[in-house]
């Protein structure tokens, strides 16, 4: 037992932090969005900008999550290749979601009112390829990659990833897809999925 403890790869501090920070920042985005809508001042303005800054930070926090979990200790060969593919899909989706957050921030900064925001979004989304790449198709890879990654790790590293983790990610994804008002609750589900495995799979 002592030898195993000495030779086991140590968790990555960045991965450990990101596993908790990513969902927390996403939840913060959901909460700020709800407050902004409640006070009738959501977009453009302080609430819109604050919410989307949290959104962008949350998405970027998932990058070290995908990178940190793509090489789980004790998983080799085809299984490790599958994990890496899932992480790569998630990273591709992360890039698309981050681009969406940046566009939302820029539009909010440039627009004088909600009508101007709507006009700017229409112009951006009217550019060929922007809608599927940034808003509809590719962003889905973020959640599909995350779900696939947690599912594979739950199969290959049962000692580290409980079976409930991918189920919690699925529940959180469904909630956020159903309504943006459920962003905070959905992010909480993802955070609960990550909590038992924070940083333990790096190696």
């Amino acid at each position: 037992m002592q030898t195993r403890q000495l030779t086991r790869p140590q968790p990555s501090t960045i991965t450990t932090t990101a596993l908790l920070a990513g969902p927390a920042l996403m939840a913060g985005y959901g909460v700020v969005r709800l407050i902004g809508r409640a006070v009738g001042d959501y977009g453009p303005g302080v609430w819109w900008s604050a919410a989307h800054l949290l959104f962008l930070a949350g998405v970027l926090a998932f990058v070290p999550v995908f990178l940190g979990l793509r090489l789980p200790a004790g998983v080799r060969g085809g299984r490790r290749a599958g994990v890496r593919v899932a992480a790569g899909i998630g990273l591709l989706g992360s890039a698309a979601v981050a681009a969406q957050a940046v566009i939302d921030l820029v539009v909010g900064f440039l627009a004088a009112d909600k009508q101007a925001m709507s006009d700017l979004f229409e112009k951006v989304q009217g550019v060929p390829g922007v809608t599927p790449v940034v808003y509809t198709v590719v962003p889905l890879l973020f959640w599909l990659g995350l779900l696939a990654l947690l599912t594979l790790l739950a199969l290959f590293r049962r000692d580290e990833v409980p079976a409930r983790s991918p189920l919690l990610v699925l529940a959180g994804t469904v909630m956020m897809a159903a309504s943006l008002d459920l962003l905070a609750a959905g992010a909480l589900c993802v955070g609960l999925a990550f909590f038992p495995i924070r940083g333990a799979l790096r190696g």
Side-chain angles (χ1 to χ4, degrees), residues 115-154:
Q115 182 58 52
M117 285 183 65
S118 179
D119 293 340
L120 284 172
F121 277 127
E122 187 174 346
K123 289 181 180 179
V124 171
Q125 294 173 13
V127 176
V130 168
T131 296
V133 171
V134 179
Y135 286 97
T136 57
V137 179
V138 181
L140 293 176
L141 299 180
F142 174 83
W143 298 106
L144 291 175
L146 184 62
L147 179 59
L149 180 60
L150 266 293
T151 300
L152 290 174
L153 293 176

Side-chain angles (χ1 to χ4, degrees), residues 12 21 28 44 46 51 53 70 94 101 111 122 128 136 146 149 189 197-199:
S12 163
V46 174
L53 282 173
R70 79 189 192 285
S94 298
E122 187 174 346
T136 57
L146 184 62
L149 180 60
C189 287
I197 63 171
R198 54 195 186 283

Side-chain angles (χ1 to χ4, degrees), residues 26-42:
M26 287 284 198
Y29 164 48
V31 170
V32 172
R33 178 183 177 277
L34 287 175
I35 294 174
R37 289 172 62 85
V39 300
D41 187 31
Y42 188 66

Side-chain angles (χ1 to χ4, degrees), residues 17-179:
T17 302
L19 281 165
L20 300 181
L25 289 165
M26 287 284 198
Y29 164 48
V31 170
V32 172
R33 178 183 177 277
L34 287 175
I35 294 174
R37 289 172 62 85
V39 300
D41 187 31
Y42 188 66
V46 174
W47 292 106
W48 175 275
S49 296
H52 285 82
L53 282 173
L54 288 170
F55 179 34
L56 178 59
V59 173
L60 294 178
F62 276 86
V63 172
V65 169
F66 285 119
L67 293 175
L69 299 183
R70 79 189 192 285
L71 298 173
V75 178
R76 298 288 183 267
R79 291 184 173 187
R80 174 165 285 208
V83 172
R84 296 186 72 172
V85 168
I89 291 172
L91 286 169
L92 180 59
S94 298
V97 178
Q100 182 182 143
V102 170
I103 290 173
D104 290 351
L105 278 168
V106 172
V107 168
F109 178 76
L110 294 177
D113 52 37
K114 291 184 179 180
Q115 182 58 52
M117 285 183 65
S118 179
D119 293 340
L120 284 172
F121 277 127
E122 187 174 346
K123 289 181 180 179
V124 171
Q125 294 173 13
V127 176
V130 168
T131 296
V133 171
V134 179
Y135 286 97
T136 57
V137 179
V138 181
L140 293 176
L141 299 180
F142 174 83
W143 298 106
L144 291 175
L146 184 62
L147 179 59
L149 180 60
L150 266 293
T151 300
L152 290 174
L153 293 176
L155 290 173
F156 303 153
R157 289 303 305 269
R158 297 176 184 177
D159 56 327
E160 301 287 3
V161 183
R164 66 179 181 274
S165 288
L167 295 178
L168 284 167
V169 170
L170 177 61
T173 302
V174 170
M175 292 171 71
M176 288 184 270
S179 172

